[in-house]
Amino acid sequence: EDLCLDDQVEILPYDVRWEFPRNRLKLGIQLGAGCFGRVVKAEAVGVKDCEESVKTVAVKMVRSQTNVAALEALVSELKIMIHLGAHLNVVNLLGACTKSIIKGELLVIVEYCRYGNLQTYLIKHRKNFINQVDEFGYLLSDAEMQERNTAIILKKDCPGDENQIKIQEQFEVKYVVEKTTSVPASATSLTIEDDKVPGQTDGEGCSGDVNPVSFGVCQQDPDAANNVRELTMSTTDLISWSFQIARGMDYLASKKVLHGDLAARNVLLADDGVAKVADFGMARKMYYEGNYQQSGEKLMPVKWMAVESLTDRIFSTQSDVWSYGVFLWELFTLGKVPYPGMEANHQLIRQLENGYRMEKPNFAPNYIGEIMSGCWKLDPNDRFTFSQIEEKISSQMESAV
Ligand code: ADE
């Protein structure tokens, strides 16, 4: 019972069935990078369920092959992913190249998510946001939107091209939307000033020219730049992502895995509006007790952390719920940085202990605001669970149709 956390992860076995031949993996451009690790795009021949065909994948590796701590962290991430198994709303493991681990090389192959991380995506698509929430926090029906006459009229059944919807030009969104399942028949348009995003200067690993029209995690990824998913983003999308991530997190909770760093930067967007929880670098498996106590001083995502994590270094599924609340706030502010203007950690902690919480963002429906409050209860046991959150969102989604 006295095992420290890293020992606990060590108990998890590596399953050789995940081993993938290094010579069938062709590494490509960098998609992103953190302090210790980086992610590159790659082509894999015959990876999981793909027999002999080539599949685009993402490969995680350490930055420096001499950094043992980074390598160990990646090993534990791999083991956690093996333990987790597959779920639609989690970035799934596809394989690993572990043969050269003695030389410090470990490649962890995961699903490639074309549209990159949600934080970057929200900021890039802010200008084309279609708000469906009124000033009282109610979600408007299409009919109500039309009635308000502030709407953009989306002309469906554009002659000659069934997939395209033209948006009337006198309004701000002046694009031809290539495909839409989630864009409503009418909507109010708005423009929001761009926010600077901290941490972007550490480069996301991209150097050289920045392509202003591309989007996704890496601005150099030509695939992401050329495949424009949708030019608009609506409240419906935000709600759908909220629901999907609650599902992904509920799955993690069911496997007794806590994420430890849930934030929009760690949610990836795949095809068809599918959102996936990513980056289990901080994930922990709770073997002997529900809660995990952080031992050393590590870099911590303070603004996403629960009060008890900040004050007593206690992490649990219920502290992931707190982070989920902050994630919702990021979503419905279209990628703003939480607690704007509060940069001193001690100040933030004191305020949180005194009961201060962020307000419901204007773009969030009231029930989303209620979920946020339910994630930020001081006592972890008073917070909603991920399955309750799923339930709350799905019941609202049903009543909205
Ligand atoms: N950036 C980091 N991980 C990624 C992934 N799996 N797909 C696309 N971009 C990524």
Side-chain angles (χ1 to χ4, degrees), residues 31-32 39 57-60 91 110-117 204 217-218 221 268-269 278-279:
L31 294 168
V39 181
V57 297
V59 177
K60 291 194 89 159
V91 174
V110 299
E111 292 174 306
Y112 172 68
C113 302
R114 190 188 300 281
Y115 302 101
N117 83 65
E204 291 281 317
V217 170
C218 179
D221 186 353
L268 296 176
L269 216 48
D279 225 316

Side-chain angles (χ1 to χ4, degrees), residues 25-41:
L25 193 63
K26 197 170 122 208
L27 302 183
I29 59 155
Q30 183 158 298
L31 294 168
C35 285
F36 307 111
R38 57 196 205 98
V39 181
V40 302
K41 197 172 168 179

Side-chain angles (χ1 to χ4, degrees), residues 239-250 262 317-328 332 367-376 382-397:
I239 294 169
S240 166
W241 295 329
S242 307
F243 177 67
Q244 293 182 57
I245 295 308
R247 280 208 143 161
M249 291 304 296
D250 193 24
L262 179 60
T317 290
Q318 290 312 98
S319 61
D320 275 348
V321 168
W322 178 293
S323 309
Y324 176 86
V326 181
F327 163 74
L328 285 182
F332 287 90
Y367 76 91
I368 293 286
E370 284 159 22
I371 295 174
M372 282 180 208
S373 309
C375 293
W376 296 336
D382 292 343
R383 292 174 203 152
F384 291 148
T385 63
F386 283 117
S387 61
Q388 285 174 325
I389 294 168
E390 254 179 276
E391 171 61 33
K392 280 177 198 297
I393 302 176
S394 69
S395 70
Q396 292 287 334
M397 290 199 302

Side-chain angles (χ1 to χ4, degrees), residues 84-104:
L84 255 184
H87 187 276
L88 178 67
N89 302 115
V90 168
V91 174
N92 293 301
L93 180 68
L94 298 174
C97 306
T98 67
K99 291 273 159 37
S100 301
I101 199 161
I102 215 83
K103 286 185 265 168

